[in-house]
Amino acid sequence: MKMLTAAGIAALLLLSLSSAATAGDFDGSKPVLCSVVTVIECTPEDGCREVTPESVAVPQFLTVDFEKKTVRPAGKVEGDRSSAIKRMERIGGKLILQGADEGIQDMRDSVGWTAAVTEETGKFVVTAAGDQEAFIVYGACLSLP
């Protein structure tokens, strides 16, 4: 069950930001490329601990297409790992995204997720909750042309 969908990641969340980035780059008007920097996994038995993105099947890079309301792994990946953005709202200088994913067939890995992208910097935090485990994903985004 230690797997997340592309969004659950939310979600989500780049090693550096473009110095030319503006608040408008992260307000949902342009697609973005996001990089996962840190993933924390929490369970009732083990508490919380930092894990590698690979160990919980979180892609290192994600593409967020606000027009199509999708989050998907950047580049080529096996199968459809995209996630639908069900809700999007701008509030308090943040772009809040929410969704839910069934996960991989025949695995009990469905999650609900929320992502908060800071409009000024593109940095993000994704929280995802599933069956007796939760994830916190930190990262940052760059706007795409």
Side-chain angles (χ1 to χ4, degrees):
M1 171 140 131
K2 297 186 187 266
M3 299 183 140
L4 288 177
T5 61
I9 317 129
L12 245 144
L13 243 157
L14 287 168
L15 301 175
S16 64
L17 294 173
S18 166
S19 59
T22 64
D25 290 341
F26 310 110
D27 65 1
S29 63
K30 301 176 184 179
V32 295
L33 174 66
C34 300
S35 176
V36 171
V37 176
T38 303
V39 178
I40 298 171
E41 177 183 38
C42 301
T43 65
E45 303 85 31
D46 300 326
C48 297
R49 64 187 177 98
E50 189 171 334
V51 297
T52 65
E54 297 82 13
S55 71
V56 290
V58 174
Q60 182 67 51
F61 297 98
L62 301 164
T63 302
V64 183
D65 186 327
F66 298 107
E67 187 174 309
K68 293 181 181 176
K69 293 190 174 186
T70 59
V71 178
R72 61 181 169 70
K76 293 184 179 182
V77 289
E78 288 185 35
D80 181 15
R81 298 268 325 265
S82 65
S83 181
I85 299 169
K86 302 290 187 185
R87 182 167 187 248
M88 212 164 58
E89 182 176 346
R90 290 178 67 197
I91 186 168
K94 293 176 193 64
L95 178 60
I96 307 297
L97 311 172
Q98 292 181 314
D101 292 292
E102 192 167 331
I104 299 170
Q105 185 176 353
D106 299 327
M107 289 192 69
R108 210 170 153 179
D109 62 344
S110 56
V111 295
W113 57 269
T114 298
V117 181
T118 303
E119 291 182 3
E120 187 176 316
T121 65
K123 291 182 180 181
F124 69 85
V125 177
V126 174
T127 57
D131 187 21
Q132 293 296 301
E133 68 182 338
F135 299 88
I136 305 166
V137 181
Y138 297 94
C141 302
L142 291 173
S143 65
L144 294 172

